[in-house]
Amino acid sequence: MSGSVHELRPRPGDSEKITINLGYVDLGHVDLLVRDGFYANRTDFIRTAIRNQIDRHDEATRRSVARKAVELGLRHFDRADLEAARDAGRPLHIRVLGLATIAADVPPDLAREAIASVEVLGALHASPAVKAALADRIR
């Protein structure tokens, strides 16, 4: 594997929104750092803190990704990918750290025939019907 884990970060429009709860004192510290110009806003602070922790654990993440045979980054599965897996009799074991997407034109029955398991650390984007069809295979 070449490069570092954070080289594969998505562009700002390719991100997932999350919500966190912070204690008032922690939030006050964040606001103080923003007010004093260390960060542009709360989001800038939080992203920076997360990236610092990811960098801090970079080597452990690399070992885990290699050990678990996880694809790192963005991985898209289109209808042709799934048809090829089904036709070859080799169902896919999808393991992604980042974003896995299953094309919108993939019908639920094809997804069930072609995908044996799904493990995504990050986000899985697929139609609600495909997610429902794979519900017992998603970890």
Side-chain angles (χ1 to χ4, degrees):
M1 175 187 317
S2 66
S4 68
V5 171
H6 57 326
E7 285 177 7
L8 299 172
R9 288 194 184 112
R11 295 177 306 254
D14 296 335
S15 60
E16 188 85 9
K17 184 175 185 168
I18 64 168
T19 302
I20 63 169
N21 295 318
L22 287 178
Y24 297 116
V25 174
D26 290 338
L27 186 56
H29 281 105
V30 172
D31 286 345
L32 177 65
L33 292 168
V34 170
R35 186 190 73 193
D36 288 350
F38 289 96
Y39 301 94
N41 51 45
R42 290 174 173 177
T43 299
D44 181 33
F45 172 87
I46 292 166
R47 283 187 184 133
T48 300
I50 290 169
R51 288 176 182 146
N52 287 342
Q53 288 302 308
I54 290 170
D55 288 345
R56 181 177 177 198
H57 300 287
D58 186 59
E59 186 56 36
T61 301
R62 287 175 185 280
R63 286 192 306 268
S64 183
V65 165
R67 184 176 62 248
K68 295 179 181 180
V70 174
E71 292 185 65
L72 183 62
L74 310 176
R75 182 65 164 92
H76 179 72
F77 297 90
D78 61 24
R79 188 179 191 131
D81 294 329
L82 299 186
E83 288 171 343
R86 178 198 61 202
D87 295 347
R90 294 187 183 175
L92 300 174
H93 294 273
I94 297 172
R95 299 180 66 134
V96 174
L97 188 155
L99 172 65
T101 60
I102 299 173
D105 67 342
V106 171
D109 59 328
L110 174 58
R112 279 203 61 83
E113 293 169 355
I115 299 172
S117 65
V118 178
E119 182 178 0
V120 177
L121 300 168
L124 170 63
H125 290 182
S127 72
V130 166
K131 283 185 176 181
L134 296 174
D136 62 329
R137 299 170 189 195
I138 297 174
R139 297 189 302 180

